[in-house]
Amino acid sequence: MYFLRQRGLETPLLQYRLMQSWKEVAGDVVHSYTRELNIHNQILYVSITNTSLRADLSMMRQHFVQKLNAKVGTQVITDIRFC
């Protein structure tokens, strides 16, 4: 990881791994309604196509933050916004 950190590649790699973990952490049903994932300023933006599901997921934000960061092994995101 030191080499990656020196080259400025550690954060993008960790972000990629976190986004790849979304399906496993969120589950198949939620993943099927997921259109897009982006990370900006340690916030994961998740585009959900179902409005009622989006509202339910918003109440579980911290649960997803903890699970996703645990999958990567470090704090990559501090919050999630469902849009």
Side-chain angles (χ1 to χ4, degrees), residues 4 22-23 43 79 82-83:
L4 294 174
W22 174 250
K23 181 179 181 180
I43 298 173
D79 198 7
F82 296 98
C83 45

Side-chain angles (χ1 to χ4, degrees), residues 32-44:
S32 70
Y33 288 103
T34 302
R35 189 173 2 152
E36 189 177 349
L37 299 169
N38 290 302
I39 297 176
H40 182 68
N41 292 335
Q42 293 187 305
I43 298 173
L44 175 63

Side-chain angles (χ1 to χ4, degrees), residues 10-66:
E10 180 181 33
T11 300
L13 177 62
L14 292 172
Q15 290 175 345
Y16 175 79
R17 287 181 182 168
L18 184 132
M19 289 190 290
Q20 291 300 307
S21 299
W22 174 250
K23 181 179 181 180
E24 182 181 343
V25 170
D28 290 334
V29 174
V30 173
H31 184 260
S32 70
Y33 288 103
T34 302
R35 189 173 2 152
E36 189 177 349
L37 299 169
N38 290 302
I39 297 176
H40 182 68
N41 292 335
Q42 293 187 305
I43 298 173
L44 175 63
Y45 293 90
V46 182
S47 178
I48 300 290
T49 58
N50 184 299
T51 56
S52 59
L53 178 61
R54 188 180 318 140
D56 290 343
L57 293 174
S58 291
M59 292 184 275
M60 300 171 52
R61 285 184 1 241
Q62 286 307 313
H63 167 77
F64 286 116
V65 168
Q66 291 171 353

